[in-house]
Amino acid sequence: MKFTDGFWQLRPGVAALYAQQAYDLVPRENSIVVTAPTKAVVSRGDTLNRPALTVTLSSPIEGVVGVRIEHFQGGTRQPGFSLVGAEDGHGLVEVTDESGSITTGGLTATIGRGSPWDLRFSAGGRLLTSSGSKSVGYLSLAPDAQVDGGPIGNARSGTAGGPAATYLHEQLALGIGELVYGLGERFGPVVKNGQSVDIWNADGGTSSEQAYKNVPFYLTNRGYGVLVNDSGHVSYEIGSESVERVQFSVEGESLEYFLIYGPTPKQILERYTALTGRPASVPAWSFGLWLSTSFTTSYDEATVSSFIDGMAERDLPLSVFHFDCFWMREFNWCDLEWDQRVFPDPQGMLARLHEKGVRVCVWINPYIAQRSPLFAEGAEHGYLVTRPNGDVWQWDLWQPGMAIVDFTNPHATAWFQDKLRALIAGGVDAFKTDFGERIPLDARFADGSSSERMHNLYAQLYNKAVHDVLVEERGEGEAVLFARAATTGGQSLPVHWGGDSTSTFSSMAETLRGGLSLAFGGFAFWSHDIGGFEGTPDPGVFKRWVAFGLLSSHSRLHGSESYRVPWTFDLDPVTGEYDESATSAVAVTRRFARLKNRLMPYLFAAGAEASGRGVPVMRPMLLEFPDDPGVSYLDRQYMLGPDILVAPVFTDDGTVQFYLPEGGWTSLLTGEHVAAGGWRTETHGLDSLPLYVRDGAVLPVGAHDDRPDYDYLDGLTLRVYPGAEPTTVRVVGVDGAATDVALARDRDGAFSAHADGRHVRVETVQGESRSEPTHDRPAPPL
């Protein structure tokens, strides 16, 4: 939200006061309380008839400084996020005649006494960022104020003739060359400098400024991150309104943020997720290929069985089958009951599908159509969100007369969970938790939360309710969602997918940008609709997306109006015969599905690291190469785990330009070795893409390619790449038990490996240098 008109003036209808000095500093055991008048006090009269702000510095965990800015403290304090890792006892406080400071985990916040306002954050003698003149602002907006209020408009600033709205903002300095990343799933450029970003969940697809997963957390390439602890609308101006600063503002009388020290991006995420929640472990079977009914297509048990059997007949590994919305009767979403007209024996059907070796996922949302039997039941017991007058909140978008389950009411949550328990007992293994973004502003919640604060937080309560019941019924490590909406803390409730894309290369690229942006918020397990959701992809788009999708942590074939079984592509329009070549959609799907299954010892270990440290499986290049300026703006490639670089192909002709950081790299598909990093342009056939392993890597590769959940130590191979040294490779089994595999050299320099007294096969990769980077020929297997 922009409040100023250039450097000197305010926008019409805006009145602003700023913290002008640190008048006094009061030390507490682990905090400092600062009185910050909005006028420099030079005489006693200056203490009268003027607002003052109270600024409190504290530390919720080591390496994190909290800053709370307050005007009036007497109102109801709206809750922020659940800070599961916060604890007392952090922060060494020191107050002198010149300043006050709080030090925690190498990070120091120093507030200078007197005027002008000067709050600095430093580590190791290096300034990270600062809050200076006109940084801490208290603003009043007249009803007709002309501010840029973002996608939710200016209506929230009051209506004509109504009271003025108040806002607080903070501005933190941007250094020269400092770049900002994160703020949730955003489909534009991964570097956020120059952008205006509103934290406001919306169902807007992947091709707009709106986002399903809004997270008021960013990190920079200067070694720190910032979380605004407000679940409502947070507005960011990132080097935009003031090109030298990041501004964040919230409506109301208080603003709290946490500055999180790294210094590396991984360490920032480790501390951020320690504070807000680590990603839960997900089962190994969920890493395999998911296949969906698609959305509005026609299907019954015979259709579903034909798809699953067709995958098996074509030697295509399949782990999960997903039933989208129409497993329930139309106009009844959600009644959480199988449509008996189409599925007369759901429990028997699910048992038969399980016998085919697949898990089952079903679609749900938190909305109750008026025709659903659950509507009357929920309304009678007060389980639905209401309007201020007590009426059930309803509208006709999505489902006629639909209402919204009130997850702030524990009885409503238990009621909804009981309905899910019946489905789990009947054979459902996972839930796609769709929607949860369209939470109205004129709603009343059972716990008294304001609808503005609940708008983003609702998705967290919804997903947690579903995840909790899966944990209760299936156990820790077996619960898996396929969620669309999220905010801070959502990373603890995986998996998340990228929402409604279109079936084009452009949408494929924006989907990747959204995933990379989300990864900067600690979301570790991520997926997307292979081939795009809206429309039907041409065979080229589908095959390129298959490779990208199966080189993501989670992989799902899903569409809107058309099926996504691979054999529906490449049909000759005249003869109806199917292309059986090595570059057919079936062959490409088979190749990358089997490759992913063989990589499961590596990928599952990356997943365990995500749950233990908060480092995502799919990683923006900056996470692995923070000191390489060449990776700063990269948003068309990523690291899959610590050692594999993936550069999806977004072109019809197979041309792809990508960047290899310094050091040697070996193609996983061809064995080609590139001795030095830098920019490369390659041309790839439909069954290939740039897939490189960094020198020094030791890659654990499994012996099975038909499923993702198997004994990874059975037939394990350690692929040792150039420059690797003796090390220990951790292999995490499907049961979560870890085994350390010791890689050693003998007297002749040859590698050998052992685990629990068992010999492990070692394969030393001797990369072959090639001058022509063309990959149209069939590539050898691992």
Side-chain angles (χ1 to χ4, degrees):
M1 183 173 288
K2 296 181 174 69
F3 301 101
T4 58
D5 180 9
F7 185 75
W8 290 280
Q9 301 184 80
L10 296 170
R11 294 195 173 201
V14 177
L17 297 169
Y18 302 99
Q20 298 287 1
Q21 72 177 139
Y23 181 74
D24 58 18
L25 313 177
V26 179
R28 305 265 174 89
E29 184 176 359
N30 296 113
S31 64
I32 301 175
V33 180
V34 184
T35 298
T38 54
K39 182 181 187 300
V41 176
V42 296
S43 69
R44 286 184 171 181
D46 293 329
T47 64
L48 304 175
N49 304 312
R50 191 85 176 183
L53 301 175
T54 302
V55 180
T56 304
L57 307 181
S58 61
S59 176
I61 63 171
E62 184 177 285
V64 178
V65 168
V67 180
R68 184 168 185 86
I69 305 163
E70 298 169 292
H71 179 227
F72 292 148
Q73 296 177 327
T76 301
R77 179 176 291 185
Q78 292 290 342
F81 298 107
S82 176
L83 303 178
V84 296
E87 55 190 11
D88 296 330
H90 293 284
L92 176 64
V93 171
E94 182 180 6
V95 174
T96 68
D97 291 341
E98 291 77 30
S99 64
S101 66
I102 181 168
T103 299
T104 173
L107 173 66
T108 298
T110 303
I111 178 72
R113 284 188 184 272
S115 180
W117 176 260
D118 184 19
L119 172 61
R120 295 171 178 261
F121 300 91
S122 60
R126 179 174 66 91
L127 179 67
L128 301 176
T129 188
S130 61
S131 168
S133 176
K134 294 187 176 181
S135 286
V136 176
Y138 179 70
L139 305 107
S140 297
L141 274 60
D144 58 350
Q146 297 176 25
V147 296
D148 179 0
I152 61 173
N154 298 324
R156 307 224 345 279
S157 300
T159 57
T166 59
Y167 286 79
L168 279 162
H169 78 49
E170 171 68 293
Q171 295 179 344
L172 296 179
L174 275 175
I176 297 171
E178 185 171 3
L179 302 176
V180 175
Y181 305 89
L183 297 176
E185 175 190 59
R186 319 215 76 85
F187 302 104
V190 69
V191 173
K192 300 303 187 287
N193 294 53
Q195 297 183 32
S196 300
V197 173
D198 285 277
I199 302 300
W200 193 251
N201 283 1
D203 178 4
T206 64
S207 59
S208 77
E209 65 178 353
Q210 297 179 1
Y212 303 102
K213 307 169 191 67
N214 286 266
V215 179
F217 168 76
Y218 68 86
L219 60 80
T220 88
N221 61 349
R222 289 295 190 267
Y224 69 93
V226 177
L227 167 67
V228 177
N229 188 27
D230 194 300
S231 65
H233 175 225
V234 183
S235 181
Y236 287 86
E237 299 295 337
I238 307 150
S240 48
E241 183 177 13
S242 172
V243 299
E244 300 173 353
R245 297 175 173 183
V246 174
Q247 173 180 290
F248 40 91
S249 58
V250 300
E251 187 175 3
E253 297 291 311
S254 64
L255 166 64
E256 184 175 48
Y257 67 93
F258 298 97
L259 193 132
I260 302 169
Y261 177 56
T264 69
K266 285 184 181 179
Q267 289 169 313
I268 296 168
L269 288 183
E270 189 167 2
R271 283 189 165 126
Y272 168 73
T273 56
L275 182 63
T276 62
R278 298 271 199 241
S281 299
V282 293
W285 55 260
S286 72
F287 283 73
L289 182 59
W290 297 44
L291 176 63
S292 164
T293 58
S294 290
F295 173 31
T296 59
T297 52
S298 178
Y299 50 87
D300 55 15
E301 182 179 354
T303 311
V304 170
S305 293
S306 73
F307 288 167
I308 296 171
D309 293 342
M311 296 288 282
E313 292 163 5
R314 293 167 175 85
D315 205 20
L316 299 173
L318 182 65
S319 290
V320 183
F321 192 85
H322 168 70
F323 288 84
D324 218 50
C325 314
F326 283 94
W327 68 274
M328 290 178 281
R329 185 167 183 157
E330 69 278 6
F331 295 116
N332 281 21
W333 306 342
C334 278
D335 61 6
L336 302 176
E337 296 282 350
W338 291 88
D339 184 351
Q340 292 293 318
R341 302 169 304 170
V342 183
F343 303 105
D345 179 23
Q347 191 162 345
M349 176 185 68
L350 297 191
R352 290 185 286 273
L353 297 185
H354 284 146
E355 289 173 1
K356 296 177 184 290
V358 298
R359 300 309 206 284
V360 174
C361 173
V362 297
W363 175 95
I364 62 172
N365 70 189
Y367 309 145
I368 308 294
Q370 183 169 279
R371 202 178 80 163
S372 166
L374 299 187
F375 179 88
E377 185 179 344
E380 178 184 356
H381 292 94
Y383 295 160
L384 305 177
V385 171
T386 65
R387 296 186 184 276
N389 67 359
D391 291 345
V392 172
W393 193 98
Q394 292 180 264
W395 69 353
D396 287 324
L397 288 181
W398 187 238
Q399 289 289 284
M402 61 157 254
I404 303 171
V405 178
D406 187 350
F407 290 106
T408 72
N409 180 343
H411 301 293
T413 300
W415 169 71
F416 191 80
Q417 289 176 321
D418 284 344
K419 307 299 181 183
L420 301 182
R421 281 192 180 87
L423 291 168
I424 296 169
V428 171
D429 301 292
F431 293 104
K432 173 183 172 180
T433 49
D434 206 354
F435 290 85
E437 305 93 355
R438 293 178 176 173
I439 305 306
L441 282 169
D442 59 342
R444 188 177 69 180
F445 289 85
D447 72 343
S449 294
S450 77
S451 54
E452 189 265 347
R453 291 296 193 271
M454 190 53 59
H455 177 88
N456 295 330
L457 193 60
Y458 182 88
Q460 179 74 358
L461 302 183
Y462 161 43
N463 285 320
K464 186 177 187 302
V466 181
H467 192 268
D468 283 353
V469 77
L470 281 167
V471 170
E472 292 167 10
E473 298 299 322
R474 290 283 191 252
E476 294 281 354
E478 281 295 312
V480 58
L481 307 181
F482 219 83
R484 189 173 76 174
T487 188
T488 295
Q491 73 276 357
S492 65
L493 307 168
V495 173
H496 296 82
W497 102 97
D500 296 346
S501 52
T502 59
S503 299
T504 64
F505 282 124
S506 293
S507 199
M508 179 179 163
E510 72 205 18
T511 294
L512 174 55
R513 293 195 297 269
L516 294 174
S517 184
L518 188 65
F520 279 116
F523 283 74
F525 304 102
W526 176 78
S527 187
H528 41 96
D529 292 341
I530 294 175
F533 177 71
E534 295 289 352
T536 299
D538 66 50
V541 169
F542 179 77
K543 294 170 197 177
R544 298 299 189 188
W545 210 319
V546 161
F548 167 38
L550 283 162
L551 290 167
S552 303
S553 81
H554 286 73
S555 313
R556 184 180 71 158
L557 295 165
H558 179 67
S560 179
E561 298 177 349
S562 57
Y563 302 125
R564 289 292 184 268
V565 287
W567 54 91
T568 61
F569 300 90
D570 294 321
L571 288 174
D572 187 296
V574 177
T575 66
E577 294 182 355
Y578 181 73
D579 177 11
E580 298 289 348
S581 72
T583 58
S584 69
V586 165
V588 171
T589 304
R590 180 188 302 120
R591 180 179 196 194
F592 286 101
R594 290 190 171 278
L595 171 65
K596 185 177 187 182
N597 287 340
R598 289 205 63 195
L599 289 174
M600 275 302 297
Y602 169 80
L603 294 175
F604 204 56
E609 182 185 13
S611 298
R613 295 183 55 207
V615 180
V617 175
M618 189 187 86
R619 304 174 183 181
M621 298 296 293
L622 184 75
L623 290 190
E624 288 297 332
F625 304 95
D627 298 323
D628 185 345
V631 309
S632 298
Y633 288 86
L634 299 182
D635 57 13
R636 298 193 305 274
Q637 63 184 77
Y638 57 94
M639 297 297 292
L640 185 62
D643 295 319
I644 298 178
L645 183 149
V646 184
V649 179
F650 300 107
T651 59
D652 285 315
D653 64 3
T655 302
V656 55
Q657 190 177 51
F658 63 100
Y659 176 79
L660 294 177
E662 183 178 355
W665 296 80
T666 302
S667 170
L668 189 64
L669 299 182
T670 70
E672 175 190 358
H673 185 258
V674 179
W679 283 98
R680 289 173 66 82
T681 300
E682 297 181 355
T683 302
H684 285 258
L686 290 166
D687 61 344
S688 180
L689 81 167
L691 189 62
Y692 281 87
V693 182
R694 67 200 297 187
D695 275 6
V698 179
L699 206 65
V701 177
H704 302 269
D705 62 6
D706 59 334
R707 59 186 303 128
D709 48 340
Y710 55 91
D711 180 359
Y712 300 140
L713 291 173
D714 179 22
L716 180 72
T717 297
L718 296 187
R719 289 173 61 90
V720 180
Y721 285 83
E725 297 293 338
T727 187
T728 298
V729 177
R730 175 152 292 187
V731 176
V732 180
V734 297
D735 61 355
T739 300
D740 289 335
V741 182
L743 179 69
R745 285 187 189 271
D746 62 22
R747 293 180 179 178
D748 298 326
F751 283 106
S752 62
H754 296 83
D756 290 341
R758 290 192 288 178
H759 176 74
V760 175
R761 183 171 180 266
V762 175
E763 182 179 303
T764 302
V765 178
Q766 301 290 345
E768 178 185 352
S769 296
R770 297 194 181 103
S771 59
E772 293 297 327
T774 301
H775 302 263
D776 288 328
R777 62 192 178 286
L782 278 175

